[in-house]
Amino acid sequence: MRLNAGSVSIKKLIIHEVPNKRGISGNTALVLSERESILDKDSMRIFQEKIILASSGAFSVQFDETTESKAPPLIRSILKDKNQESFIKYSAQLANELYETQTGQVSGGILVVIAFTNDTKNAVAILKLEKEDGVRLLQDQVEGKTTFNLDYVKNLLITKKTRVFKTGIFVADKVVEGKLEIVGYVTDPQNTSNTDVADFFLAKFLGCKLTIVPEVATRIFFEATNTFINNFITEPDEKIKAYSHLVSELTNNKRKISIPEFAENYLDAKYQQKYVSTMKGASVPRHIEKNTNLIDNKIKKITYLFESGISLIGTNEVLSEKVVLKSQDKGTTKVEFVDKITKIKS
Amino acid sequence: MNISELRERWLSEKDQYKEFANHVHELIKAACNQEGINPKISFREKDLASFIKKAIRKSYKDPYTRTVDKAGVRVVTNFPFELTVVSNLIKQNFKIHEIDNKSERLALDKIGYKSIHFTVSLLDPEKSHFRNKKCEIQVRTLCQDLWSEMSHILAYKSDIKLPNDIKRRIICLGALLEVAENDFADIESRLKELPEFYELKLLDLLEQQYYQFVGATFSKDLSRQVLRNLKLCLPEIEQQAYKYRLGEFCKDHGSVIKAIIAEYSDTNPFSSQPELLFILERLESDRFSLRRAWESHYPFEYLEDLAIAFGEPY
């Protein structure tokens, strides 16, 4: 689903303040708006950009049938509400749901609900933001001299550079057997090591789950990238380097894989665009929550160290296929394998 | 088949051949557009008188079958190098029954009719009455076409016995046209090496699309500077076909282009310039090269804004 400045048209926007009711200090009361916010042209554009930005970095999600969250039917109602007559009511109920489900570890914030259309399709964006304080610059003349004064600003909600925030985007698709099909995306389902916090927005509040489970998405990424390396990268050195980066990307500590970032960081310039286009053509998700369970035997290396100082290193899969280990007398092992030598290094 | 039967049959079938020739012409036109060349392409069904005269002259046993140019298409290119491009397109898009390169049959010291004739049929006929039909495609340059047409008009190949001095003058004109053709081609290559040729040609293409979206002037100096700085984003191999690619891009993304021009003109200096179309097209086709070229010259936030608006953020 492609959102852009030509397709996204904001119809209504409403803001509710949703603190953590189990918070230890400050205001803990829910503050619900009773009417939509009035947006000037610049604010409209900022939110339009945030919706577009969020959708490009989002993960495909679907409603979880087993969820207890009240969000899915509310989202469905907003999408079916042709003229958004009950928009305020539904958004308030969403705010209530957020308020009731936030645990002590989840920080409170601002819930922004935006009814928009993507081309002609009804859509809704649900953003959870945090208020910030900041300082802005004011040019002034003091005693005939130019200076810059600083103005402390409270309740700053969003800046042009704000990139990472929790957003759910849901677009009404077609009606199948009387039921409205909804295409859903959520940004950053897990951006912290605390899984309660990480699961909260996607699963507990929005009642969603990832459309493609991380293990499968990771395997799709690995296989498609491996195929690309074999089919399109012709120089042997570059092939080895690319594969090595692929394994490194899968085995490092990062939780997420981004196809464009992988291309930019690890592939030679001449392959970058081709790689992104090829992955798109192969329907590889643009952003992937990493889980290597299904491919560990292909990527994780095992090292056999021998008393003599010889080492044998390979992936589990290759070692199983090619190497035969036979126990001998006196605790020794005979190692047999047949292969071509490609490099000798010292 | 006697002449009368030939005549009757042709009168009943010529409209089918005209439709067939038109179809072949459309296929070649589409293929040439995608390659970024713009030859003049015409088509015809064979003229009845010409058909009968040829049948009589050649004394064919089966003149109907032996006449392979019942449907004809002529492709007239601007430059000699385009003959090879068109020839390759024909070979890719049709089933080839015969190729007759008249130029190759001319001795080095002779001037005469030059054209490449292909006898083709369709690879995958959509309509049943196109099956088994053949078409003759003649491919020649503008100068070759002029010489061919003029010498035909002057009855050079007819039965009239021309005095030698007239024959010689016609031959000299053929030589002159060949020299002119080579000079035009050479000038075209030299032009491509001039500074700013590429930027101005690209700006010309962009302007053609730009006015579909905007009815206002723009800064030509800024355009030339931007295109000079970003031109490496478009590899040479893609330049020839860029007109077609740009046209298709603008057709597919008209609404977002209009929205960006309308909404970003006060915040982004590139949004009300023709090079916006180049930037957006490159965002789709090669965002990495675009970013690399961009960051050496302009603040990244301008590109980032356009990328977000286009729906392809970095």
Side-chain angles (χ1 to χ4, degrees), chain A residues 181-211:
Chain A
E181 301 240 321
I182 295 170
V183 177
Y185 296 88
V186 172
T187 57
D188 249 352
Q190 292 182 24
N191 63 351
T192 165
S193 56
N194 182 328
T195 50
D196 281 344
V197 173
D199 283 342
F200 168 77
F201 187 73
L202 169 72
K204 290 204 176 94
F205 170 50
L206 291 177
C208 293
K209 58 183 180 183
L210 295 174
T211 306

PDB file of all heavy atoms in Angstrom, chain A residues 181-211:
ATOM      1  N   GLU A 181     -12.759  -5.908   4.650  1.00  0.00           N
ATOM      2  CA  GLU A 181     -11.357  -6.320   4.831  1.00  0.00           C
ATOM      3  C   GLU A 181     -10.534  -5.068   5.099  1.00  0.00           C
ATOM      4  O   GLU A 181     -10.742  -4.035   4.456  1.00  0.00           O
ATOM      5  CB  GLU A 181     -10.846  -6.990   3.559  1.00  0.00           C
ATOM      6  CG  GLU A 181     -11.638  -8.206   3.165  1.00  0.00           C
ATOM      7  CD  GLU A 181     -10.771  -9.448   3.121  1.00  0.00           C
ATOM      8  OE1 GLU A 181      -9.622  -9.346   2.676  1.00  0.00           O
ATOM      9  OE2 GLU A 181     -11.272 -10.508   3.531  1.00  0.00           O
ATOM     10  N   ILE A 182      -9.643  -5.194   6.069  1.00  0.00           N
ATOM     11  CA  ILE A 182      -8.856  -4.027   6.483  1.00  0.00           C
ATOM     12  C   ILE A 182      -7.374  -4.349   6.332  1.00  0.00           C
ATOM     13  O   ILE A 182      -6.910  -5.410   6.741  1.00  0.00           O
ATOM     14  CB  ILE A 182      -9.176  -3.662   7.950  1.00  0.00           C
ATOM     15  CG1 ILE A 182     -10.640  -3.223   8.058  1.00  0.00           C
ATOM     16  CG2 ILE A 182      -8.259  -2.564   8.469  1.00  0.00           C
ATOM     17  CD1 ILE A 182     -11.130  -3.061   9.476  1.00  0.00           C
ATOM     18  N   VAL A 183      -6.661  -3.407   5.731  1.00  0.00           N
ATOM     19  CA  VAL A 183      -5.205  -3.547   5.610  1.00  0.00           C
ATOM     20  C   VAL A 183      -4.574  -2.728   6.735  1.00  0.00           C
ATOM     21  O   VAL A 183      -4.899  -1.547   6.883  1.00  0.00           O
ATOM     22  CB  VAL A 183      -4.730  -3.010   4.239  1.00  0.00           C
ATOM     23  CG1 VAL A 183      -3.223  -3.078   4.135  1.00  0.00           C
ATOM     24  CG2 VAL A 183      -5.366  -3.794   3.118  1.00  0.00           C
ATOM     25  N   GLY A 184      -3.739  -3.379   7.548  1.00  0.00           N
ATOM     26  CA  GLY A 184      -3.199  -2.689   8.723  1.00  0.00           C
ATOM     27  C   GLY A 184      -1.681  -2.650   8.744  1.00  0.00           C
ATOM     28  O   GLY A 184      -1.009  -3.563   8.244  1.00  0.00           O
ATOM     29  N   TYR A 185      -1.160  -1.570   9.309  1.00  0.00           N
ATOM     30  CA  TYR A 185       0.292  -1.418   9.474  1.00  0.00           C
ATOM     31  C   TYR A 185       0.561  -0.787  10.826  1.00  0.00           C
ATOM     32  O   TYR A 185      -0.165   0.097  11.263  1.00  0.00           O
ATOM     33  CB  TYR A 185       0.877  -0.502   8.387  1.00  0.00           C
ATOM     34  CG  TYR A 185       0.736  -1.073   7.000  1.00  0.00           C
ATOM     35  CD1 TYR A 185      -0.406  -0.831   6.249  1.00  0.00           C
ATOM     36  CD2 TYR A 185       1.725  -1.889   6.466  1.00  0.00           C
ATOM     37  CE1 TYR A 185      -0.549  -1.386   4.990  1.00  0.00           C
ATOM     38  CE2 TYR A 185       1.576  -2.445   5.205  1.00  0.00           C
ATOM     39  CZ  TYR A 185       0.440  -2.193   4.483  1.00  0.00           C
ATOM     40  OH  TYR A 185       0.296  -2.743   3.241  1.00  0.00           O
ATOM     41  N   VAL A 186       1.611  -1.239  11.476  1.00  0.00           N
ATOM     42  CA  VAL A 186       2.006  -0.643  12.758  1.00  0.00           C
ATOM     43  C   VAL A 186       3.506  -0.399  12.720  1.00  0.00           C
ATOM     44  O   VAL A 186       4.276  -1.257  12.270  1.00  0.00           O
ATOM     45  CB  VAL A 186       1.635  -1.563  13.939  1.00  0.00           C
ATOM     46  CG1 VAL A 186       2.217  -1.043  15.247  1.00  0.00           C
ATOM     47  CG2 VAL A 186       0.128  -1.685  14.073  1.00  0.00           C
ATOM     48  N   THR A 187       3.922   0.778  13.201  1.00  0.00           N
ATOM     49  CA  THR A 187       5.366   1.051  13.237  1.00  0.00           C
ATOM     50  C   THR A 187       5.924   0.581  14.555  1.00  0.00           C
ATOM     51  O   THR A 187       5.259   0.635  15.581  1.00  0.00           O
ATOM     52  CB  THR A 187       5.671   2.541  13.126  1.00  0.00           C
ATOM     53  OG1 THR A 187       5.001   3.241  14.167  1.00  0.00           O
ATOM     54  CG2 THR A 187       5.246   3.086  11.798  1.00  0.00           C
ATOM     55  N   ASP A 188       7.153   0.122  14.453  1.00  0.00           N
ATOM     56  CA  ASP A 188       7.950  -0.154  15.641  1.00  0.00           C
ATOM     57  C   ASP A 188       7.271  -1.010  16.693  1.00  0.00           C
ATOM     58  O   ASP A 188       7.162  -0.607  17.836  1.00  0.00           O
ATOM     59  CB  ASP A 188       8.305   1.186  16.316  1.00  0.00           C
ATOM     60  CG  ASP A 188       9.775   1.453  16.190  1.00  0.00           C
ATOM     61  OD1 ASP A 188      10.491   0.540  15.738  1.00  0.00           O
ATOM     62  OD2 ASP A 188      10.212   2.555  16.535  1.00  0.00           O
ATOM     63  N   PRO A 189       6.823  -2.184  16.306  1.00  0.00           N
ATOM     64  CA  PRO A 189       6.152  -2.990  17.313  1.00  0.00           C
ATOM     65  C   PRO A 189       7.047  -3.376  18.476  1.00  0.00           C
ATOM     66  O   PRO A 189       6.588  -3.569  19.570  1.00  0.00           O
ATOM     67  CB  PRO A 189       5.700  -4.234  16.551  1.00  0.00           C
ATOM     68  CG  PRO A 189       6.472  -4.242  15.310  1.00  0.00           C
ATOM     69  CD  PRO A 189       6.853  -2.836  15.012  1.00  0.00           C
ATOM     70  N   GLN A 190       8.371  -3.469  18.225  1.00  0.00           N
ATOM     71  CA  GLN A 190       9.254  -3.803  19.338  1.00  0.00           C
ATOM     72  C   GLN A 190      10.501  -2.936  19.259  1.00  0.00           C
ATOM     73  O   GLN A 190      11.397  -3.215  18.492  1.00  0.00           O
ATOM     74  CB  GLN A 190       9.667  -5.271  19.277  1.00  0.00           C
ATOM     75  CG  GLN A 190       8.519  -6.222  19.534  1.00  0.00           C
ATOM     76  CD  GLN A 190       8.959  -7.667  19.513  1.00  0.00           C
ATOM     77  OE1 GLN A 190      10.114  -7.974  19.743  1.00  0.00           O
ATOM     78  NE2 GLN A 190       8.030  -8.552  19.207  1.00  0.00           N
ATOM     79  N   ASN A 191      10.524  -1.876  20.022  1.00  0.00           N
ATOM     80  CA  ASN A 191      11.728  -1.038  19.964  1.00  0.00           C
ATOM     81  C   ASN A 191      12.407  -0.974  21.323  1.00  0.00           C
ATOM     82  O   ASN A 191      13.134  -0.070  21.636  1.00  0.00           O
ATOM     83  CB  ASN A 191      11.385   0.361  19.474  1.00  0.00           C
ATOM     84  CG  ASN A 191      10.439   1.075  20.420  1.00  0.00           C
ATOM     85  OD1 ASN A 191       9.919   0.471  21.350  1.00  0.00           O
ATOM     86  ND2 ASN A 191      10.209   2.344  20.200  1.00  0.00           N
ATOM     87  N   THR A 192      12.135  -1.952  22.143  1.00  0.00           N
ATOM     88  CA  THR A 192      12.766  -1.981  23.458  1.00  0.00           C
ATOM     89  C   THR A 192      12.967  -3.430  23.868  1.00  0.00           C
ATOM     90  O   THR A 192      12.274  -4.322  23.374  1.00  0.00           O
ATOM     91  CB  THR A 192      11.895  -1.249  24.504  1.00  0.00           C
ATOM     92  OG1 THR A 192      12.363  -1.589  25.798  1.00  0.00           O
ATOM     93  CG2 THR A 192      10.448  -1.661  24.391  1.00  0.00           C
ATOM     94  N   SER A 193      13.895  -3.637  24.777  1.00  0.00           N
ATOM     95  CA  SER A 193      14.136  -5.022  25.206  1.00  0.00           C
ATOM     96  C   SER A 193      13.088  -5.481  26.209  1.00  0.00           C
ATOM     97  O   SER A 193      12.936  -6.654  26.484  1.00  0.00           O
ATOM     98  CB  SER A 193      15.531  -5.131  25.833  1.00  0.00           C
ATOM     99  OG  SER A 193      15.629  -4.195  26.896  1.00  0.00           O
ATOM    100  N   ASN A 194      12.316  -4.537  26.736  1.00  0.00           N
ATOM    101  CA  ASN A 194      11.261  -4.897  27.684  1.00  0.00           C
ATOM    102  C   ASN A 194      10.054  -5.350  26.876  1.00  0.00           C
ATOM    103  O   ASN A 194       9.373  -4.549  26.247  1.00  0.00           O
ATOM    104  CB  ASN A 194      10.914  -3.674  28.554  1.00  0.00           C
ATOM    105  CG  ASN A 194       9.861  -3.996  29.596  1.00  0.00           C
ATOM    106  OD1 ASN A 194       8.984  -4.827  29.382  1.00  0.00           O
ATOM    107  ND2 ASN A 194       9.941  -3.340  30.735  1.00  0.00           N
ATOM    108  N   THR A 195       9.797  -6.647  26.864  1.00  0.00           N
ATOM    109  CA  THR A 195       8.776  -7.160  25.944  1.00  0.00           C
ATOM    110  C   THR A 195       7.375  -6.731  26.351  1.00  0.00           C
ATOM    111  O   THR A 195       6.493  -6.640  25.507  1.00  0.00           O
ATOM    112  CB  THR A 195       8.822  -8.694  25.828  1.00  0.00           C
ATOM    113  OG1 THR A 195       8.832  -9.230  27.142  1.00  0.00           O
ATOM    114  CG2 THR A 195      10.074  -9.149  25.103  1.00  0.00           C
ATOM    115  N   ASP A 196       7.134  -6.474  27.626  1.00  0.00           N
ATOM    116  CA  ASP A 196       5.801  -6.000  28.024  1.00  0.00           C
ATOM    117  C   ASP A 196       5.503  -4.666  27.368  1.00  0.00           C
ATOM    118  O   ASP A 196       4.423  -4.429  26.849  1.00  0.00           O
ATOM    119  CB  ASP A 196       5.719  -5.821  29.544  1.00  0.00           C
ATOM    120  CG  ASP A 196       5.509  -7.163  30.235  1.00  0.00           C
ATOM    121  OD1 ASP A 196       5.138  -8.122  29.536  1.00  0.00           O
ATOM    122  OD2 ASP A 196       5.724  -7.246  31.450  1.00  0.00           O
ATOM    123  N   VAL A 197       6.482  -3.799  27.438  1.00  0.00           N
ATOM    124  CA  VAL A 197       6.316  -2.492  26.806  1.00  0.00           C
ATOM    125  C   VAL A 197       6.232  -2.664  25.301  1.00  0.00           C
ATOM    126  O   VAL A 197       5.419  -2.064  24.626  1.00  0.00           O
ATOM    127  CB  VAL A 197       7.489  -1.554  27.180  1.00  0.00           C
ATOM    128  CG1 VAL A 197       7.420  -0.260  26.396  1.00  0.00           C
ATOM    129  CG2 VAL A 197       7.493  -1.290  28.671  1.00  0.00           C
ATOM    130  N   ALA A 198       7.117  -3.494  24.787  1.00  0.00           N
ATOM    131  CA  ALA A 198       7.187  -3.690  23.341  1.00  0.00           C
ATOM    132  C   ALA A 198       5.873  -4.248  22.809  1.00  0.00           C
ATOM    133  O   ALA A 198       5.388  -3.819  21.778  1.00  0.00           O
ATOM    134  CB  ALA A 198       8.331  -4.633  23.012  1.00  0.00           C
ATOM    135  N   ASP A 199       5.279  -5.210  23.483  1.00  0.00           N
ATOM    136  CA  ASP A 199       4.057  -5.840  22.993  1.00  0.00           C
ATOM    137  C   ASP A 199       2.844  -4.958  23.189  1.00  0.00           C
ATOM    138  O   ASP A 199       1.807  -5.177  22.578  1.00  0.00           O
ATOM    139  CB  ASP A 199       3.772  -7.138  23.766  1.00  0.00           C
ATOM    140  CG  ASP A 199       4.671  -8.252  23.300  1.00  0.00           C
ATOM    141  OD1 ASP A 199       5.233  -8.114  22.196  1.00  0.00           O
ATOM    142  OD2 ASP A 199       4.808  -9.241  24.036  1.00  0.00           O
ATOM    143  N   PHE A 200       2.962  -3.984  24.071  1.00  0.00           N
ATOM    144  CA  PHE A 200       1.784  -3.263  24.521  1.00  0.00           C
ATOM    145  C   PHE A 200       1.031  -2.621  23.374  1.00  0.00           C
ATOM    146  O   PHE A 200      -0.156  -2.848  23.193  1.00  0.00           O
ATOM    147  CB  PHE A 200       2.176  -2.203  25.574  1.00  0.00           C
ATOM    148  CG  PHE A 200       1.047  -1.259  25.835  1.00  0.00           C
ATOM    149  CD1 PHE A 200      -0.011  -1.665  26.615  1.00  0.00           C
ATOM    150  CD2 PHE A 200       1.007  -0.014  25.239  1.00  0.00           C
ATOM    151  CE1 PHE A 200      -1.096  -0.836  26.814  1.00  0.00           C
ATOM    152  CE2 PHE A 200      -0.076   0.829  25.444  1.00  0.00           C
ATOM    153  CZ  PHE A 200      -1.134   0.416  26.233  1.00  0.00           C
ATOM    154  N   PHE A 201       1.691  -1.802  22.587  1.00  0.00           N
ATOM    155  CA  PHE A 201       0.984  -1.002  21.584  1.00  0.00           C
ATOM    156  C   PHE A 201       0.353  -1.887  20.513  1.00  0.00           C
ATOM    157  O   PHE A 201      -0.824  -1.751  20.186  1.00  0.00           O
ATOM    158  CB  PHE A 201       1.955   0.002  20.943  1.00  0.00           C
ATOM    159  CG  PHE A 201       1.285   0.986  20.031  1.00  0.00           C
ATOM    160  CD1 PHE A 201       0.499   2.011  20.544  1.00  0.00           C
ATOM    161  CD2 PHE A 201       1.428   0.898  18.657  1.00  0.00           C
ATOM    162  CE1 PHE A 201      -0.140   2.922  19.710  1.00  0.00           C
ATOM    163  CE2 PHE A 201       0.801   1.806  17.808  1.00  0.00           C
ATOM    164  CZ  PHE A 201       0.012   2.816  18.342  1.00  0.00           C
ATOM    165  N   LEU A 202       1.138  -2.826  19.990  1.00  0.00           N
ATOM    166  CA  LEU A 202       0.664  -3.680  18.897  1.00  0.00           C
ATOM    167  C   LEU A 202      -0.413  -4.637  19.385  1.00  0.00           C
ATOM    168  O   LEU A 202      -1.512  -4.701  18.816  1.00  0.00           O
ATOM    169  CB  LEU A 202       1.845  -4.479  18.326  1.00  0.00           C
ATOM    170  CG  LEU A 202       1.487  -5.596  17.360  1.00  0.00           C
ATOM    171  CD1 LEU A 202       1.010  -5.028  16.038  1.00  0.00           C
ATOM    172  CD2 LEU A 202       2.679  -6.514  17.118  1.00  0.00           C
ATOM    173  N   ALA A 203      -0.087  -5.387  20.448  1.00  0.00           N
ATOM    174  CA  ALA A 203      -0.948  -6.510  20.833  1.00  0.00           C
ATOM    175  C   ALA A 203      -2.015  -6.095  21.849  1.00  0.00           C
ATOM    176  O   ALA A 203      -3.211  -6.307  21.617  1.00  0.00           O
ATOM    177  CB  ALA A 203      -0.093  -7.646  21.387  1.00  0.00           C
ATOM    178  N   LYS A 204      -1.587  -5.487  22.927  1.00  0.00           N
ATOM    179  CA  LYS A 204      -2.550  -5.237  24.022  1.00  0.00           C
ATOM    180  C   LYS A 204      -3.503  -4.103  23.681  1.00  0.00           C
ATOM    181  O   LYS A 204      -4.702  -4.203  23.897  1.00  0.00           O
ATOM    182  CB  LYS A 204      -1.816  -4.927  25.320  1.00  0.00           C
ATOM    183  CG  LYS A 204      -1.101  -6.131  25.902  1.00  0.00           C
ATOM    184  CD  LYS A 204      -0.893  -6.006  27.405  1.00  0.00           C
ATOM    185  CE  LYS A 204      -0.266  -7.263  27.953  1.00  0.00           C
ATOM    186  NZ  LYS A 204       1.202  -7.222  28.044  1.00  0.00           N
ATOM    187  N   PHE A 205      -2.989  -3.023  23.111  1.00  0.00           N
ATOM    188  CA  PHE A 205      -3.854  -1.885  22.821  1.00  0.00           C
ATOM    189  C   PHE A 205      -4.589  -2.067  21.500  1.00  0.00           C
ATOM    190  O   PHE A 205      -5.814  -2.025  21.448  1.00  0.00           O
ATOM    191  CB  PHE A 205      -3.047  -0.583  22.824  1.00  0.00           C
ATOM    192  CG  PHE A 205      -3.799   0.608  22.301  1.00  0.00           C
ATOM    193  CD1 PHE A 205      -5.071   0.911  22.786  1.00  0.00           C
ATOM    194  CD2 PHE A 205      -3.268   1.429  21.327  1.00  0.00           C
ATOM    195  CE1 PHE A 205      -5.792   2.005  22.298  1.00  0.00           C
ATOM    196  CE2 PHE A 205      -3.974   2.530  20.841  1.00  0.00           C
ATOM    197  CZ  PHE A 205      -5.232   2.812  21.319  1.00  0.00           C
ATOM    198  N   LEU A 206      -3.831  -2.264  20.420  1.00  0.00           N
ATOM    199  CA  LEU A 206      -4.483  -2.325  19.108  1.00  0.00           C
ATOM    200  C   LEU A 206      -5.091  -3.694  18.805  1.00  0.00           C
ATOM    201  O   LEU A 206      -5.861  -3.824  17.862  1.00  0.00           O
ATOM    202  CB  LEU A 206      -3.484  -1.962  18.004  1.00  0.00           C
ATOM    203  CG  LEU A 206      -3.040  -0.497  17.979  1.00  0.00           C
ATOM    204  CD1 LEU A 206      -1.995  -0.276  16.874  1.00  0.00           C
ATOM    205  CD2 LEU A 206      -4.229   0.436  17.748  1.00  0.00           C
ATOM    206  N   GLY A 207      -4.725  -4.704  19.591  1.00  0.00           N
ATOM    207  CA  GLY A 207      -5.307  -6.029  19.373  1.00  0.00           C
ATOM    208  C   GLY A 207      -4.872  -6.643  18.050  1.00  0.00           C
ATOM    209  O   GLY A 207      -5.637  -7.341  17.397  1.00  0.00           O
ATOM    210  N   CYS A 208      -3.618  -6.396  17.664  1.00  0.00           N
ATOM    211  CA  CYS A 208      -3.126  -6.883  16.381  1.00  0.00           C
ATOM    212  C   CYS A 208      -1.981  -7.868  16.557  1.00  0.00           C
ATOM    213  O   CYS A 208      -1.402  -7.981  17.638  1.00  0.00           O
ATOM    214  CB  CYS A 208      -2.620  -5.717  15.525  1.00  0.00           C
ATOM    215  SG  CYS A 208      -3.910  -4.609  14.990  1.00  0.00           S
ATOM    216  N   LYS A 209      -1.665  -8.526  15.476  1.00  0.00           N
ATOM    217  CA  LYS A 209      -0.459  -9.368  15.429  1.00  0.00           C
ATOM    218  C   LYS A 209       0.172  -9.175  14.049  1.00  0.00           C
ATOM    219  O   LYS A 209      -0.508  -8.744  13.108  1.00  0.00           O
ATOM    220  CB  LYS A 209      -0.807 -10.842  15.659  1.00  0.00           C
ATOM    221  CG  LYS A 209      -1.795 -11.408  14.654  1.00  0.00           C
ATOM    222  CD  LYS A 209      -2.156 -12.841  14.978  1.00  0.00           C
ATOM    223  CE  LYS A 209      -3.156 -13.351  13.933  1.00  0.00           C
ATOM    224  NZ  LYS A 209      -3.621 -14.700  14.200  1.00  0.00           N
ATOM    225  N   LEU A 210       1.442  -9.490  13.962  1.00  0.00           N
ATOM    226  CA  LEU A 210       2.138  -9.342  12.680  1.00  0.00           C
ATOM    227  C   LEU A 210       1.556 -10.322  11.671  1.00  0.00           C
ATOM    228  O   LEU A 210       1.269 -11.472  11.996  1.00  0.00           O
ATOM    229  CB  LEU A 210       3.642  -9.602  12.840  1.00  0.00           C
ATOM    230  CG  LEU A 210       4.399  -8.601  13.719  1.00  0.00           C
ATOM    231  CD1 LEU A 210       5.846  -9.046  13.909  1.00  0.00           C
ATOM    232  CD2 LEU A 210       4.376  -7.214  13.100  1.00  0.00           C
ATOM    233  N   THR A 211       1.359  -9.858  10.448  1.00  0.00           N
ATOM    234  CA  THR A 211       0.788 -10.707   9.395  1.00  0.00           C
ATOM    235  C   THR A 211       1.740 -11.856   9.059  1.00  0.00           C
ATOM    236  O   THR A 211       1.323 -12.989   8.862  1.00  0.00           O
ATOM    237  CB  THR A 211       0.517  -9.873   8.125  1.00  0.00           C
ATOM    238  OG1 THR A 211      -0.286  -8.768   8.471  1.00  0.00           O
ATOM    239  CG2 THR A 211      -0.168 -10.683   7.060  1.00  0.00           C
TER     240      THR A 211
END
